[in-house]
Amino acid sequence: MRVMAQIAMVMNLDKCIGCHTCSVTCKQVWTNRQGTEYVWFNNVETLPGQGYPRRWEDQERWKGGWERTRSGRLRLRAGGRAKRLSTIFANPDMPTLDDYYEPWTYDYKNLTDAPAGDDLPVARPYSQTSGEPMDTVAWGPNWDDNLGGAPENAPKDPLVQKVGDRIRFEFEQSFMFYLPRVCEHCLNPACVSACPSGAMYKRAEDGIVLVDQDRCRGWRMCVSSCPYKKVYFNHATGKAEKCTFCFPRLELGMPTVCAETCVGRMRYLGVMLYDADRVAEAAAVEDEHDLYPAQLEAFLDPRDPAVAAAARASGITGEWLDAARRSPVFDLIRTYQVALPLHPEYRTLPMVWYVPPLSPVVDAVAATGHDGEDAGNLFGAIDTLRIPVEYLAELLTAGDTYAVEAVLRRMAAMRVHMRARNLGEEPDPGIAAAVRLTGDELEEMFRLLAVAKYEDRYVIPSAARADAEALLGEDAACPVGEKPGKPTLLNLSPTRRRPA
């Protein structure tokens, strides 16, 4: 057993309101500069929809992630080293700017400087990359927002095409939910393995995947190999860039910018311990439906004395062990098992997990005149969601509907249990038992998902605080800043690498 630690995130999709605050604040901090006009490290997609870049989930087209060979080994979908080298100057699987969107702004100056006349002045759009006027604005990073463009765009969602005709896009039948996305900081990252120059690496101390800007040569194999399309090319610097998980903030014990500014309070950050010797085995299981449980088995319980001893022997400090024991992420993923990985079939073992949405099923039951919080009604209605369970399963469990139904039943049981508690009634213990939890566990799950305080949602060890403050000096209160003469934050830790 080789114990390693990873900072992980869980997002509760039941609470996301699609306000894009996380996207805007992330962009203002990390990609508000030349060369990154089209780049969104964090974006929020409306599902069903094509997403950003368009149809990023279509790996038959993009060849991202890993695939299992007949011999049981893993190889990149993009092909072996020889194939990737043969396409290094002309990669057919590379997204173009049109697949993302051509960033634009408006000629606001014309509104104020246009001479007086009979016609009202207009602010024409022009490209932020070429500077040329644009005839039309045809696509954007949130073009599908609130089902904008449906039913024309939503049926092009690759998951909709897998599920088939069970999803309706007539207005009175449609349903949507929001999916915030960042880099998954995977345990088995395809981008790291695909990088020819070795610039992509996974930090040994916290598992964050970064790009060494000094070593990057702009081959962009990382862009095409990432199945989540969360690595971008900066056309001004000729380097690859990606979400850094706001590691300068994490080193100070602070949450990421997207989590800090989340209006819905639906993001959680914490430490997960895992057995590094089981990563390859978990990623290479034969049946895609077994990928989620295999990754669960790779996680270790920090409360287990044997795990704690092995962690100390691996160099994990007491502060990190304590954070792992109090981790809200561990509780949501392992203890209550209500968080699921995004597209485990890509075999990267992602470390940003999601609690699937349940709210619409309550509304749907109530609209029929029945009690929307009754356990029997809720359990029976899960199969009749407008967005079918099959769609959620294609998104979160490689198509395994049983795992998604188990999570939704636990969420429904929590609501029924807490309703009885709030009305002063004695909750039925059979409801908790039906989802293999106790009443106390349902109440603890409710506190974590519904009313958790700041310090309960973000449990981040700050072991690097002294080093970070020494680097940042008087700027420590604003860890994303940079002063002349000081090292670029993107390269604070270029030598602390984890083997791919």
mmCIF file of all heavy atoms in Angstrom, residues 42-68:
data_model
loop_
_atom_site.group_PDB
_atom_site.id
_atom_site.type_symbol
_atom_site.label_atom_id
_atom_site.label_comp_id
_atom_site.label_asym_id
_atom_site.label_seq_id
_atom_site.Cartn_x
_atom_site.Cartn_y
_atom_site.Cartn_z
ATOM 1 N N ASN A 42 -12.971 27.644 -15.696
ATOM 2 C CA ASN A 42 -14.237 27.216 -15.092
ATOM 3 C C ASN A 42 -15.363 27.697 -16.004
ATOM 4 O O ASN A 42 -15.387 28.857 -16.399
ATOM 5 C CB ASN A 42 -14.391 27.821 -13.696
ATOM 6 C CG ASN A 42 -15.671 27.375 -12.988
ATOM 7 O OD1 ASN A 42 -15.619 26.644 -12.010
ATOM 8 N ND2 ASN A 42 -16.820 27.839 -13.445
ATOM 9 N N ASN A 43 -16.247 26.800 -16.374
ATOM 10 C CA ASN A 43 -17.440 27.212 -17.116
ATOM 11 C C ASN A 43 -18.632 26.440 -16.592
ATOM 12 O O ASN A 43 -18.482 25.381 -15.972
ATOM 13 C CB ASN A 43 -17.264 26.990 -18.626
ATOM 14 C CG ASN A 43 -17.269 25.518 -19.005
ATOM 15 O OD1 ASN A 43 -16.331 24.794 -18.692
ATOM 16 N ND2 ASN A 43 -18.320 25.074 -19.692
ATOM 17 N N VAL A 44 -19.813 26.971 -16.815
ATOM 18 C CA VAL A 44 -21.053 26.326 -16.360
ATOM 19 C C VAL A 44 -21.895 26.017 -17.587
ATOM 20 O O VAL A 44 -22.227 26.917 -18.362
ATOM 21 C CB VAL A 44 -21.835 27.225 -15.389
ATOM 22 C CG1 VAL A 44 -23.114 26.521 -14.922
ATOM 23 C CG2 VAL A 44 -20.972 27.606 -14.192
ATOM 24 N N GLU A 45 -22.220 24.746 -17.768
ATOM 25 C CA GLU A 45 -22.981 24.305 -18.931
ATOM 26 C C GLU A 45 -24.405 23.942 -18.532
ATOM 27 O O GLU A 45 -24.631 23.384 -17.461
ATOM 28 C CB GLU A 45 -22.297 23.098 -19.577
ATOM 29 C CG GLU A 45 -20.884 23.404 -20.053
ATOM 30 C CD GLU A 45 -20.118 22.175 -20.509
ATOM 31 O OE1 GLU A 45 -20.709 21.069 -20.475
ATOM 32 O OE2 GLU A 45 -18.947 22.311 -20.890
ATOM 33 N N THR A 46 -25.341 24.269 -19.384
ATOM 34 C CA THR A 46 -26.715 23.820 -19.221
ATOM 35 C C THR A 46 -26.872 22.470 -19.916
ATOM 36 O O THR A 46 -26.490 22.323 -21.072
ATOM 37 C CB THR A 46 -27.705 24.823 -19.820
ATOM 38 O OG1 THR A 46 -27.607 26.064 -19.125
ATOM 39 C CG2 THR A 46 -29.144 24.309 -19.710
ATOM 40 N N LEU A 47 -27.394 21.512 -19.200
ATOM 41 C CA LEU A 47 -27.639 20.189 -19.777
ATOM 42 C C LEU A 47 -29.135 19.921 -19.821
ATOM 43 O O LEU A 47 -29.847 20.263 -18.876
ATOM 44 C CB LEU A 47 -26.934 19.117 -18.954
ATOM 45 C CG LEU A 47 -25.401 19.162 -18.962
ATOM 46 C CD1 LEU A 47 -24.845 18.004 -18.149
ATOM 47 C CD2 LEU A 47 -24.834 19.147 -20.361
ATOM 48 N N PRO A 48 -29.613 19.341 -20.927
ATOM 49 C CA PRO A 48 -28.841 18.887 -22.085
ATOM 50 C C PRO A 48 -28.365 20.055 -22.937
ATOM 51 O O PRO A 48 -29.002 21.087 -23.006
ATOM 52 C CB PRO A 48 -29.839 18.009 -22.845
ATOM 53 C CG PRO A 48 -31.179 18.525 -22.436
ATOM 54 C CD PRO A 48 -31.035 18.989 -21.034
ATOM 55 N N GLY A 49 -27.214 19.861 -23.578
ATOM 56 C CA GLY A 49 -26.619 20.884 -24.421
ATOM 57 C C GLY A 49 -25.289 20.385 -24.954
ATOM 58 O O GLY A 49 -24.784 19.342 -24.530
ATOM 59 N N GLN A 50 -24.704 21.150 -25.865
ATOM 60 C CA GLN A 50 -23.469 20.705 -26.500
ATOM 61 C C GLN A 50 -22.233 20.997 -25.666
ATOM 62 O O GLN A 50 -21.216 20.342 -25.813
ATOM 63 C CB GLN A 50 -23.322 21.359 -27.881
ATOM 64 C CG GLN A 50 -24.406 20.949 -28.860
ATOM 65 C CD GLN A 50 -24.132 21.469 -30.251
ATOM 66 O OE1 GLN A 50 -23.162 21.094 -30.886
ATOM 67 N NE2 GLN A 50 -25.003 22.355 -30.725
ATOM 68 N N GLY A 51 -22.312 22.001 -24.789
ATOM 69 C CA GLY A 51 -21.186 22.282 -23.912
ATOM 70 C C GLY A 51 -20.101 23.115 -24.567
ATOM 71 O O GLY A 51 -20.272 23.662 -25.656
ATOM 72 N N TYR A 52 -18.977 23.233 -23.857
ATOM 73 C CA TYR A 52 -17.850 24.065 -24.293
ATOM 74 C C TYR A 52 -16.558 23.285 -24.094
ATOM 75 O O TYR A 52 -16.252 22.897 -22.974
ATOM 76 C CB TYR A 52 -17.843 25.357 -23.465
ATOM 77 C CG TYR A 52 -16.533 26.114 -23.463
ATOM 78 C CD1 TYR A 52 -16.174 26.945 -24.519
ATOM 79 C CD2 TYR A 52 -15.645 25.986 -22.389
ATOM 80 C CE1 TYR A 52 -14.967 27.629 -24.498
ATOM 81 C CE2 TYR A 52 -14.444 26.672 -22.373
ATOM 82 C CZ TYR A 52 -14.110 27.495 -23.428
ATOM 83 O OH TYR A 52 -12.915 28.172 -23.420
ATOM 84 N N PRO A 53 -15.766 23.027 -25.174
ATOM 85 C CA PRO A 53 -16.127 23.278 -26.566
ATOM 86 C C PRO A 53 -17.270 22.384 -27.025
ATOM 87 O O PRO A 53 -17.604 21.409 -26.357
ATOM 88 C CB PRO A 53 -14.836 22.959 -27.315
ATOM 89 C CG PRO A 53 -14.137 21.963 -26.444
ATOM 90 C CD PRO A 53 -14.452 22.379 -25.040
ATOM 91 N N ARG A 54 -17.821 22.700 -28.183
ATOM 92 C CA ARG A 54 -18.995 21.977 -28.657
ATOM 93 C C ARG A 54 -18.735 20.475 -28.734
ATOM 94 O O ARG A 54 -17.726 20.041 -29.279
ATOM 95 C CB ARG A 54 -19.420 22.489 -30.033
ATOM 96 C CG ARG A 54 -20.334 23.687 -29.968
ATOM 97 C CD ARG A 54 -20.755 24.162 -31.332
ATOM 98 N NE ARG A 54 -19.710 24.951 -31.972
ATOM 99 C CZ ARG A 54 -19.908 25.712 -33.037
ATOM 100 N NH1 ARG A 54 -21.105 25.775 -33.581
ATOM 101 N NH2 ARG A 54 -18.924 26.403 -33.568
ATOM 102 N N ARG A 55 -19.671 19.715 -28.145
ATOM 103 C CA ARG A 55 -19.644 18.248 -28.190
ATOM 104 C C ARG A 55 -18.313 17.687 -27.668
ATOM 105 O O ARG A 55 -17.756 16.737 -28.215
ATOM 106 C CB ARG A 55 -19.907 17.756 -29.624
ATOM 107 C CG ARG A 55 -21.308 18.061 -30.120
ATOM 108 C CD ARG A 55 -21.521 17.607 -31.564
ATOM 109 N NE ARG A 55 -21.243 16.165 -31.710
ATOM 110 C CZ ARG A 55 -22.124 15.198 -31.462
ATOM 111 N NH1 ARG A 55 -23.332 15.506 -31.036
ATOM 112 N NH2 ARG A 55 -21.796 13.931 -31.637
ATOM 113 N N TRP A 56 -17.830 18.269 -26.572
ATOM 114 C CA TRP A 56 -16.559 17.803 -26.003
ATOM 115 C C TRP A 56 -16.639 16.367 -25.523
ATOM 116 O O TRP A 56 -15.607 15.697 -25.380
ATOM 117 C CB TRP A 56 -16.137 18.715 -24.853
ATOM 118 C CG TRP A 56 -17.085 18.754 -23.681
ATOM 119 C CD1 TRP A 56 -18.128 19.605 -23.497
ATOM 120 C CD2 TRP A 56 -17.072 17.894 -22.536
ATOM 121 N NE1 TRP A 56 -18.778 19.339 -22.311
ATOM 122 C CE2 TRP A 56 -18.153 18.296 -21.700
ATOM 123 C CE3 TRP A 56 -16.258 16.831 -22.137
ATOM 124 C CZ2 TRP A 56 -18.427 17.662 -20.484
ATOM 125 C CZ3 TRP A 56 -16.545 16.204 -20.927
ATOM 126 C CH2 TRP A 56 -17.610 16.620 -20.118
ATOM 127 N N GLU A 57 -17.830 15.851 -25.291
ATOM 128 C CA GLU A 57 -17.984 14.479 -24.795
ATOM 129 C C GLU A 57 -17.882 13.431 -25.894
ATOM 130 O O GLU A 57 -17.873 12.231 -25.595
ATOM 131 C CB GLU A 57 -19.333 14.348 -24.072
ATOM 132 C CG GLU A 57 -19.414 15.163 -22.794
ATOM 133 C CD GLU A 57 -20.839 15.388 -22.344
ATOM 134 O OE1 GLU A 57 -21.620 16.005 -23.099
ATOM 135 O OE2 GLU A 57 -21.183 14.943 -21.238
ATOM 136 N N ASP A 58 -17.821 13.846 -27.136
ATOM 137 C CA ASP A 58 -17.782 12.907 -28.252
ATOM 138 C C ASP A 58 -16.340 12.438 -28.472
ATOM 139 O O ASP A 58 -15.601 12.994 -29.294
ATOM 140 C CB ASP A 58 -18.326 13.583 -29.517
ATOM 141 C CG ASP A 58 -18.373 12.639 -30.711
ATOM 142 O OD1 ASP A 58 -18.073 11.436 -30.538
ATOM 143 O OD2 ASP A 58 -18.697 13.105 -31.823
ATOM 144 N N GLN A 59 -15.946 11.392 -27.761
ATOM 145 C CA GLN A 59 -14.563 10.916 -27.864
ATOM 146 C C GLN A 59 -14.309 10.110 -29.136
ATOM 147 O O GLN A 59 -13.146 9.863 -29.479
ATOM 148 C CB GLN A 59 -14.192 10.092 -26.621
ATOM 149 C CG GLN A 59 -14.319 10.853 -25.314
ATOM 150 C CD GLN A 59 -13.676 12.235 -25.353
ATOM 151 O OE1 GLN A 59 -12.625 12.420 -25.971
ATOM 152 N NE2 GLN A 59 -14.300 13.197 -24.692
ATOM 153 N N GLU A 60 -15.364 9.721 -29.843
ATOM 154 C CA GLU A 60 -15.149 9.135 -31.164
ATOM 155 C C GLU A 60 -14.575 10.180 -32.112
ATOM 156 O O GLU A 60 -13.822 9.861 -33.032
ATOM 157 C CB GLU A 60 -16.470 8.586 -31.721
ATOM 158 C CG GLU A 60 -17.043 7.427 -30.921
ATOM 159 C CD GLU A 60 -16.096 6.238 -30.868
ATOM 160 O OE1 GLU A 60 -15.468 5.939 -31.920
ATOM 161 O OE2 GLU A 60 -15.965 5.624 -29.795
ATOM 162 N N ARG A 61 -14.914 11.435 -31.831
ATOM 163 C CA ARG A 61 -14.394 12.544 -32.643
ATOM 164 C C ARG A 61 -13.062 13.067 -32.110
ATOM 165 O O ARG A 61 -12.117 13.291 -32.875
ATOM 166 C CB ARG A 61 -15.431 13.680 -32.664
ATOM 167 C CG ARG A 61 -14.898 15.040 -33.148
ATOM 168 C CD ARG A 61 -14.557 14.998 -34.622
ATOM 169 N NE ARG A 61 -14.045 16.283 -35.097
ATOM 170 C CZ ARG A 61 -12.762 16.655 -35.024
ATOM 171 N NH1 ARG A 61 -11.878 15.825 -34.487
ATOM 172 N NH2 ARG A 61 -12.375 17.829 -35.482
ATOM 173 N N TRP A 62 -12.944 13.230 -30.797
ATOM 174 C CA TRP A 62 -11.783 13.930 -30.235
ATOM 175 C C TRP A 62 -10.677 12.995 -29.769
ATOM 176 O O TRP A 62 -9.558 13.443 -29.530
ATOM 177 C CB TRP A 62 -12.221 14.827 -29.075
ATOM 178 C CG TRP A 62 -13.226 15.866 -29.461
ATOM 179 C CD1 TRP A 62 -14.507 15.997 -28.998
ATOM 180 C CD2 TRP A 62 -13.037 16.925 -30.408
ATOM 181 N NE1 TRP A 62 -15.126 17.065 -29.593
ATOM 182 C CE2 TRP A 62 -14.241 17.657 -30.459
ATOM 183 C CE3 TRP A 62 -11.975 17.327 -31.217
ATOM 184 C CZ2 TRP A 62 -14.407 18.761 -31.282
ATOM 185 C CZ3 TRP A 62 -12.147 18.423 -32.041
ATOM 186 C CH2 TRP A 62 -13.340 19.133 -32.066
ATOM 187 N N LYS A 63 -10.973 11.719 -29.564
ATOM 188 C CA LYS A 63 -9.951 10.739 -29.180
ATOM 189 C C LYS A 63 -9.252 11.134 -27.874
ATOM 190 O O LYS A 63 -8.028 11.057 -27.756
ATOM 191 C CB LYS A 63 -8.900 10.577 -30.283
ATOM 192 C CG LYS A 63 -9.469 10.237 -31.653
ATOM 193 C CD LYS A 63 -10.113 8.861 -31.662
ATOM 194 C CE LYS A 63 -10.466 8.406 -33.080
ATOM 195 N NZ LYS A 63 -11.448 9.260 -33.753
ATOM 196 N N GLY A 64 -10.034 11.562 -26.881
ATOM 197 C CA GLY A 64 -9.453 11.935 -25.590
ATOM 198 C C GLY A 64 -9.532 10.804 -24.587
ATOM 199 O O GLY A 64 -10.344 9.883 -24.705
ATOM 200 N N GLY A 65 -8.693 10.848 -23.564
ATOM 201 C CA GLY A 65 -8.709 9.857 -22.501
ATOM 202 C C GLY A 65 -7.993 8.570 -22.884
ATOM 203 O O GLY A 65 -7.133 8.541 -23.762
ATOM 204 N N TRP A 66 -8.358 7.480 -22.173
ATOM 205 C CA TRP A 66 -7.716 6.181 -22.336
ATOM 206 C C TRP A 66 -8.702 5.171 -22.889
ATOM 207 O O TRP A 66 -9.915 5.318 -22.742
ATOM 208 C CB TRP A 66 -7.200 5.668 -20.996
ATOM 209 C CG TRP A 66 -6.214 6.550 -20.303
ATOM 210 C CD1 TRP A 66 -6.494 7.580 -19.439
ATOM 211 C CD2 TRP A 66 -4.791 6.484 -20.389
ATOM 212 N NE1 TRP A 66 -5.338 8.152 -18.992
ATOM 213 C CE2 TRP A 66 -4.271 7.501 -19.544
ATOM 214 C CE3 TRP A 66 -3.904 5.662 -21.081
ATOM 215 C CZ2 TRP A 66 -2.905 7.715 -19.392
ATOM 216 C CZ3 TRP A 66 -2.545 5.870 -20.932
ATOM 217 C CH2 TRP A 66 -2.059 6.889 -20.095
ATOM 218 N N GLU A 67 -8.158 4.100 -23.467
ATOM 219 C CA GLU A 67 -8.958 2.946 -23.844
ATOM 220 C C GLU A 67 -8.232 1.680 -23.412
ATOM 221 O O GLU A 67 -7.009 1.665 -23.289
ATOM 222 C CB GLU A 67 -9.224 2.924 -25.348
ATOM 223 C CG GLU A 67 -7.985 2.834 -26.213
ATOM 224 C CD GLU A 67 -8.306 2.891 -27.689
ATOM 225 O OE1 GLU A 67 -9.503 2.975 -28.026
ATOM 226 O OE2 GLU A 67 -7.361 2.850 -28.506
ATOM 227 N N ARG A 68 -9.018 0.639 -23.173
ATOM 228 C CA ARG A 68 -8.459 -0.632 -22.713
ATOM 229 C C ARG A 68 -8.222 -1.545 -23.908
ATOM 230 O O ARG A 68 -9.122 -1.740 -24.733
ATOM 231 C CB ARG A 68 -9.413 -1.294 -21.714
ATOM 232 C CG ARG A 68 -8.875 -2.527 -21.015
ATOM 233 C CD ARG A 68 -9.926 -3.023 -20.028
ATOM 234 N NE ARG A 68 -9.429 -4.114 -19.210
ATOM 235 C CZ ARG A 68 -9.496 -5.396 -19.538
ATOM 236 N NH1 ARG A 68 -10.042 -5.749 -20.701
ATOM 237 N NH2 ARG A 68 -9.035 -6.324 -18.722
#
